[in-house]
Amino acid sequence: REETTRAIIDTVFDGIVTFDSHGNIETFNRAAQEIFGYAAEEARGQNVTQLLAPPFDGEYRDALAAGFTTANGGDLGAIREITGRRKDGTEFPLEIALSELGGSWPLPERRRAQRQLFLGTVRDVSTQKELTHQLQQAQKMEAIGTLAGGIAHDFNNILSIILGYSSLALEGAAREGEGRENLEMVVQAGCRARDLVDQIL
């Protein structure tokens, strides 16, 4: 049964870490090894708080000291995003769900007591965070493109009227004179504006 359970734990995609009421790690599956960079042998016996970055390491240390009571261990049964810390010291976003493994883990009968054992299911959400960021950036760029396209379209309509009527006025204006020169300046400015709109598009 133990071998079957271990095989199941080692094949799940999420990291699974079990630890006692003092925070000492007992189980550290393959996914947890990949997430944190520790071999299972290195992790076992170490305190679970070393897998967490500040301020979460202190927060969980306090919760362990309080026995994860309702007041201090509100994370039990809930999925929470915190900051994890790998063996090399790098920090990363981590989803964690904690639960207590009840009375199925007794101490030897001579002690007539049961110990607390907690199970943490962990997931590195760095990739999801990066993809979300990229999606947000793409959406921003799409919004900017839509805005620029809409403005450019409306601006082109206005410029068409300005250039059209200026050209008609030029045809009817005298060949020389201040009025004609002013109209030519309007047409030139309109053409430059039309080129600028093309650049925006």
Side-chain angles (χ1 to χ4, degrees), residues 19-24 47-49 56-74 76 98 116 118:
F19 53 94
D20 63 20
S21 58
H22 300 291
N24 298 319
N47 197 280
V48 70
T49 56
F56 302 103
D57 53 350
E59 180 185 325
Y60 276 76
R61 196 176 291 113
D62 293 343
L64 279 164
F68 274 109
T69 60
T70 304
N72 296 291
L76 288 180
L98 289 179
Q116 283 183 300
F118 300 98

Side-chain angles (χ1 to χ4, degrees), residues 7-120:
I8 293 169
I9 289 172
D10 276 340
T11 54
V12 297
F13 292 111
D14 291 333
I16 293 179
V17 181
T18 62
F19 53 94
D20 63 20
S21 58
H22 300 291
N24 298 319
I25 296 171
E26 296 190 4
T27 304
F28 205 72
N29 75 339
R30 286 178 189 161
Q33 294 175 59
E34 292 174 7
I35 290 170
F36 294 103
Y38 290 97
E41 296 74 21
E42 291 178 290
R44 287 192 197 102
Q46 299 298 318
N47 197 280
V48 70
T49 56
Q50 77 177 22
L51 305 176
L52 310 177
F56 302 103
D57 53 350
E59 180 185 325
Y60 276 76
R61 196 176 291 113
D62 293 343
L64 279 164
F68 274 109
T69 60
T70 304
N72 296 291
D75 286 337
L76 288 180
I79 297 174
R80 184 180 177 199
E81 186 177 312
I82 61 174
T83 305
R85 180 171 49 200
R86 294 190 175 91
K87 181 180 178 180
D88 63 8
T90 57
E91 298 180 2
F92 63 101
L94 179 74
E95 274 188 354
I96 183 168
L98 289 179
S99 57
E100 184 177 356
L101 298 174
S104 59
W105 300 84
L107 286 171
E109 282 297 316
R110 68 180 183 276
R111 297 198 41 192
R112 304 278 180 196
Q114 288 185 337
R115 63 187 181 126
Q116 283 183 300
L117 193 73
F118 300 98
L119 182 144

Side-chain angles (χ1 to χ4, degrees), residues 122-159:
V122 294
R123 179 179 296 170
D124 181 352
V125 291
S126 303
T127 303
Q128 291 92 317
K129 287 277 185 183
E130 180 59 28
L131 289 173
T132 300
H133 176 70
Q134 289 178 9
L135 177 61
Q136 289 172 344
Q137 288 298 107
Q139 288 172 336
K140 285 179 186 177
M141 294 305 294
E142 183 180 6
I144 290 170
T146 302
L147 177 66
I151 291 172
H153 179 73
D154 291 342
F155 214 65
N156 265 334
N157 290 340
I158 296 167
L159 286 172

